[in-house]
Amino acid sequence: MRGISTLVAAVGVLAACTEAAVVRRTTSTSPSSTTVQAVKATSTASSGSSSACAAVSETLGSDGDSTTPILPSDALACLQSVPLDVKRSSDFIDFIEPYIQFQSTLAYLENPPIGWTLPGVDVLGGLAEIQNNVENGTYQSQWDFEVDLYALVNIFPHDFHFNLPMPLISVFEFQTIEGSLVSVSKDGLSVPDVYFKFDLDWEYLVGGLNWTPSPLVSINGVDIADYLQYITQTTSDYQDPDAIYNQAFSSLAFDYNPFASRGSGSAFVIGGHAYGFSDDSYTYKFANGTTRVFDNIATTSIDFTDIATGQDLFDAVDLPPTEHATSSAAASSITAAPSTTAAASTTAAAASSSPTVSSLAGYPSPIVIHPDGYTSGYFLPNSTIAVLAMQGFVDEFETDENAAFFQQQTIKIFLAAARKAGMTKLIVDLQNNGGGDIFNGFDAFKQLFPTLDPFGASRIRATPEANYFGTIFSAAGVYNTTVNTVYQSQSSLDVNDHAFNSWSAEDPPVTIYGDNFTQELRYNFSDIVTESGTGGINVTGYLSNANPPPQLFSSEDMVILYDGSCGSTCAVFSELMKSQGGVRSIALGGRPQLGPMQGVAGSKGAQVYTYGNIAQVASFLPDALDILKSKGIAAPPLPPAEFIIDIEDPFPLGDTQKLAAGARFNLRNNMHDGDATQTPLQFVYEAANCKLFYTAKDQYEIAGLWQRVSNVAWGGAKCVEGSTVTSDNTFPAGAYDTVPFGQSAYSTVEQPYQPGLIAQKSDV
């Protein structure tokens, strides 16, 4: 066991561990955290203020920073005191609706197919209801309006490609302060309990203290599992209850990068209470009978020096920067480039905070590792089992211009080393892989299956605006490495890898599920224009990489490991690995119940676009229309007004440049080859072949987890009861040997009504 001084140096949690352990051993109910004491001291000083925002300002004082604790009740009252700006809020709805029309899943969300495990949402209907609430006086504050709109776009669709940052939502971060939680099983097969990780640290990092961790059983009298499921489902953009539940906890994979800003990796600590707390302190009960009261806090990075009222806060964050009383900035449109100085300083700051990663905490010494840490390779000792760990398909800060090349090379070097060392089995660990560069996903698949032609087809919602773009750009015919768009027939191949001869051939349109879509579209990896957008790589098997090494591992000798967070590019990669590669999978964690779990549940959409991306496409129209005129081709009629995006004016609320980059929609639906129902994979239930629960040791060293996975995949060890199709709970033989959708897959959370929310189905 490591000594206490070593623990302080290596983990930096001893003080927090000490306090957490001491308070849980006693029955006293007075919080002993120095952070809490600081909060109480500042709140006393500000208790005479008439305004909650003034109280926040006094708490922060002249020396306050983003770590200064604020009473959550003061923070929430400050937000609730912001007066509603009826005109700006109504105009904001009108401004964003044409952008939201590009979201590819609107029809499916409004009436989810069987297999969707959560409530549905009528996004466009919700927008109309929110706008009506703004105009008829239903909302009492700007905060009420922004909470409803934020939930409608960011949460209810459960698609992390669908985002709309709202200014007030990001003013405060509401946090618990007792550290992250973990969900662990005694043997990886029995239903897990919830613990404070600091309690486990005493047993697994220190030891010899006669210390027995006790599970947490309730918060404020609510069963702990029910509590965590509620706070995560109402704040998470993941699309499956088990994946959502996993977000409440920390894990080694989540904290893989020692230089990243992810913190504890626990929505219980930060993120799960986005709308504030019901009280400044909560009561925690443990299985050993101990009851503790722990305080909550809020923090902010906003300068509150000149903020004393709700109106002041509105002026500071909701007014576009050009309209601030102290602003001298020039007016900005959605297509305007960010300030060169600001962009450069942001990039430099991110780059300087992300030095080369040589190893990952809790992981063995790697055979090879990406300089940014998110791709690494390992050999299990005394075996011929290799592990390829990929926590993403892009670097943590998305600032490394060489990240795509390094990932391609890391995988290539790893496979060469595995071949030389005689490795015969491969675990592909995709825990905490939220996607990234789409072409790196295709490349990883091609390195593992060099003889297969990746299908990877998708459909785009064929709105009148999309059809307008496609007709003009296809007819203009400009398609090169400088000017090209997704909305032109030259940029895609059909399902049989043939070129489209016109936009009308690509977008007839095809009517599916009551909505219009393009034909299925595939990438042309032999096209130099397509490859120019691949982050500096040619996908393995094409162009300069046309002759890759032969396949090393057979399908039955590979297994994929998930924790439910796989999405975006990870979902595309996973579909290729399963449907074409025939690779089986194991999912980890999930709700405390037996039975199956989905492994891919972040966003299964195939590509995301920002509002800035689509605005840039629209900015090409004048030149394209000039080309049509020179060719004597008549321009198509304009689409209806509700589909035409405004790229000239700033957003009516907030910082236009931040919103242009942060507001996003899912552009492409991910499609399965040969599916007669033509259902996007986002709405297809796909359980992993097996489920395992985390154990306590998995929180400290990952090699043991990989060994358990190996024992299940190739050694006959058991899966969680009911998570496989085999009668003895062993690993099945085929990638599609999975437990079908059933009642247990549905969420059990009951959400209060908000605009757009549709009651969850119960059919199977």
Side-chain angles (χ1 to χ4, degrees):
M1 292 290 181
R2 288 189 288 175
I4 289 179
S5 61
T6 306
L7 177 64
V8 173
V11 185
V13 298
L14 183 61
C17 284
T18 303
E19 179 177 84
V22 169
V23 295
R24 285 182 206 115
R25 285 176 178 148
T26 69
T27 57
S28 168
T29 57
S30 59
S32 60
S33 167
T34 55
T35 305
V36 173
Q37 291 170 354
V39 171
K40 290 185 178 297
T42 53
S43 67
T44 300
S46 62
S47 60
S49 300
S50 59
S51 165
C53 291
V56 170
S57 181
E58 290 183 28
T59 296
L60 295 172
S62 59
D63 299 324
D65 59 26
S66 60
T67 64
T68 302
I70 302 162
L71 277 175
S73 56
D74 283 347
L76 185 57
C78 176
L79 293 169
Q80 292 170 334
S81 73
V82 177
L84 176 67
D85 189 312
V86 173
K87 185 178 188 312
R88 286 185 182 278
S89 299
S90 182
D91 288 349
F92 189 79
I93 297 288
D94 290 335
F95 190 93
I96 64 172
E97 183 174 351
Y99 288 93
I100 285 176
Q101 293 281 3
F102 287 99
Q103 172 69 20
S104 65
T105 58
L106 295 178
Y108 291 90
L109 289 169
E110 186 176 354
N111 181 26
I114 301 302
W116 182 252
T117 60
L118 298 160
V121 57
D122 178 1
V123 177
L124 297 178
L127 281 179
E129 184 177 350
I130 290 171
Q131 188 170 45
N132 185 60
N133 288 346
V134 167
E135 294 174 351
N136 69 16
T138 298
Y139 293 128
Q140 300 301 304
S141 68
Q142 187 72 19
W143 172 249
D144 293 341
F145 159 70
E146 294 193 24
V147 164
D148 272 358
L149 185 54
Y150 180 85
L152 177 72
V153 177
N154 297 275
I155 307 302
F156 297 159
H158 292 285
D159 176 353
F160 66 48
H161 280 172
F162 200 12
N163 315 112
L164 181 66
M166 296 304 299
L168 288 180
I169 298 294
S170 61
V171 169
F172 296 104
E173 288 189 328
F174 293 94
Q175 308 170 45
T176 61
I177 59 174
E178 293 305 312
S180 58
L181 300 178
V182 292
S183 175
V184 298
S185 163
K186 63 182 179 182
D187 56 8
L189 299 177
S190 56
V191 172
D193 290 313
V194 175
Y195 294 84
F196 274 100
K197 185 174 181 295
F198 287 153
D199 282 350
L200 295 185
D201 288 345
W202 278 101
E203 181 176 7
Y204 288 92
L205 294 182
V206 181
L209 299 177
N210 192 28
W211 168 252
T212 302
S214 180
L216 181 60
V217 296
S218 69
I219 298 179
N220 280 359
V222 179
D223 175 81
I224 184 60
D226 292 341
Y227 177 87
L228 294 175
Q229 287 179 70
Y230 182 85
I231 67 165
T232 50
Q233 183 169 311
T234 53
T235 57
S236 172
D237 49 12
Y238 283 26
Q239 66 171 69
D240 176 85
D242 290 301
I244 290 171
Y245 188 72
N246 273 357
Q247 282 196 288
F249 309 106
S250 64
S251 73
L252 283 176
F254 198 97
D255 295 325
Y256 77 92
N257 189 339
F259 306 110
S261 58
R262 292 175 182 266
S264 68
S266 167
F268 166 75
V269 175
I270 188 167
H273 306 92
Y275 312 126
F277 294 99
S278 60
D279 203 339
D280 289 338
S281 61
Y282 280 179
T283 300
Y284 295 73
K285 185 175 181 180
F286 297 83
N288 64 5
T290 301
T291 298
R292 298 297 306 135
V293 175
F294 298 137
D295 280 21
N296 306 312
I297 67 167
T299 60
T300 185
S301 59
I302 301 294
D303 182 358
F304 265 76
T305 302
D306 297 318
I307 297 175
T309 67
Q311 185 63 56
D312 292 340
L313 182 57
F314 179 91
D315 293 345
V317 302
D318 273 298
L319 280 183
T322 55
E323 299 182 43
H324 291 178
T326 58
S327 174
S328 59
S332 177
S333 71
I334 194 169
T335 55
S339 161
T340 303
T341 302
S345 62
T346 300
T347 301
S352 66
S353 63
S354 55
T356 298
V357 178
S358 59
S359 63
L360 309 181
Y363 285 64
S365 296
I367 301 301
V368 61
I369 189 168
H370 191 293
D372 298 313
Y374 65 91
T375 302
S376 50
Y378 308 85
F379 298 159
L380 294 187
N382 305 313
S383 76
T384 58
I385 298 170
V387 180
L388 175 62
M390 295 188 289
Q391 290 92 350
F393 288 98
V394 70
D395 60 295
E396 175 76 15
F397 301 99
E398 298 188 32
T399 55
D400 184 352
E401 62 184 15
N402 297 313
F405 170 77
F406 284 135
Q407 184 168 42
Q408 183 183 58
Q409 291 302 305
T410 299
I411 297 172
K412 183 178 181 180
I413 293 169
F414 168 70
L415 291 176
R419 189 185 304 275
K420 183 177 181 180
M423 296 291 113
T424 62
K425 313 283 186 190
L426 177 66
I427 298 171
V428 181
D429 188 342
L430 297 179
Q431 293 179 85
N432 188 38
N433 190 317
D437 189 319
I438 183 66
F439 297 107
N440 274 104
F442 281 105
D443 181 79
F445 171 74
K446 283 291 291 180
Q447 291 206 52
L448 294 172
F449 290 98
T451 63
L452 297 183
D453 180 24
F455 181 68
S458 61
R459 292 186 191 271
I460 295 172
R461 187 171 188 240
T463 68
E465 178 90 327
N467 190 52
Y468 182 73
F469 287 161
T471 302
I472 292 172
F473 293 131
S474 298
V478 178
Y479 180 70
N480 54 51
T481 56
T482 302
V483 179
N484 61 85
T485 84
V486 68
Y487 295 103
Q488 59 186 118
S489 56
Q490 296 89 342
S491 67
S492 300
L493 300 177
D494 69 14
V495 72
N496 296 311
D497 271 349
H498 298 148
F500 292 103
N501 57 22
S502 67
W503 179 254
S504 61
E506 179 172 334
D507 178 18
V510 181
T511 300
I512 308 170
Y513 216 72
D515 204 354
N516 292 331
F517 297 91
T518 64
Q519 301 279 17
E520 289 188 327
L521 311 177
R522 297 179 68 182
Y523 290 102
N524 182 0
F525 295 114
S526 296
D527 173 25
I528 193 170
V529 177
T530 297
E531 291 280 10
S532 70
T534 59
I537 66 170
N538 287 332
V539 172
T540 294
Y542 303 93
L543 299 177
S544 63
N545 280 334
N547 297 299
Q551 182 172 329
L552 177 57
F553 301 103
S554 61
S555 298
E556 63 270 20
D557 291 330
M558 286 189 266
V559 65
I560 301 175
L561 184 59
Y562 295 115
D563 62 1
S565 63
C566 176
S568 192
T569 296
C570 183
V572 174
F573 171 77
S574 295
E575 165 65 8
L576 298 174
M577 292 289 284
K578 177 182 178 180
S579 66
Q580 293 185 253
V583 178
R584 297 165 294 170
S585 63
I586 295 174
L588 292 166
R591 292 169 292 174
Q593 63 182 36
L594 304 178
M597 172 180 163
Q598 295 193 92
V600 183
S603 170
K604 292 169 81 174
Q607 188 178 9
V608 64
Y609 250 33
T610 67
Y611 286 18
N613 290 149
I614 200 66
Q616 184 180 39
V617 170
S619 72
F620 296 153
L621 283 172
D623 288 345
L625 287 168
D626 285 345
I627 293 173
L628 261 60
K629 185 176 181 180
S630 70
K631 291 182 174 182
I633 301 174
L638 285 170
E642 64 267 27
F643 293 97
I644 300 176
I645 60 175
D646 180 351
I647 67 171
E648 298 298 331
D649 296 319
F651 280 74
L653 290 172
D655 186 322
T656 291
Q657 289 304 304
K658 290 181 180 178
L659 286 165
R664 313 191 306 171
F665 55 85
N666 189 74
L667 176 70
R668 296 176 184 265
N669 284 341
N670 197 2
M671 308 303 296
H672 177 69
D673 189 11
D675 180 7
T677 70
Q678 303 184 80
T679 303
L681 283 168
Q682 297 100 300
F683 297 91
V684 176
Y685 180 83
E686 296 181 282
N689 299 98
C690 166
K691 179 173 77 175
L692 296 174
F693 292 120
Y694 289 101
T695 67
K697 289 184 178 180
D698 296 336
Q699 309 301 319
Y700 302 96
E701 58 94 11
I702 204 164
L705 171 60
W706 291 338
Q707 187 60 59
R708 283 198 292 133
V709 168
S710 169
N711 293 342
V712 168
W714 302 294
K718 305 290 186 180
C719 302
V720 167
E721 182 181 342
S723 69
T724 80
V725 296
T726 61
S727 59
D728 60 355
N729 296 312
T730 54
F731 205 44
Y736 282 89
D737 293 337
T738 58
V739 177
F741 179 76
Q743 282 287 347
S744 67
Y746 277 118
S747 167
T748 58
V749 173
E750 295 185 12
Q751 293 182 235
Y753 177 76
Q754 286 178 260
L757 191 64
I758 295 173
Q760 179 178 292
K761 293 183 177 180
S762 59
D763 314 52
V764 293

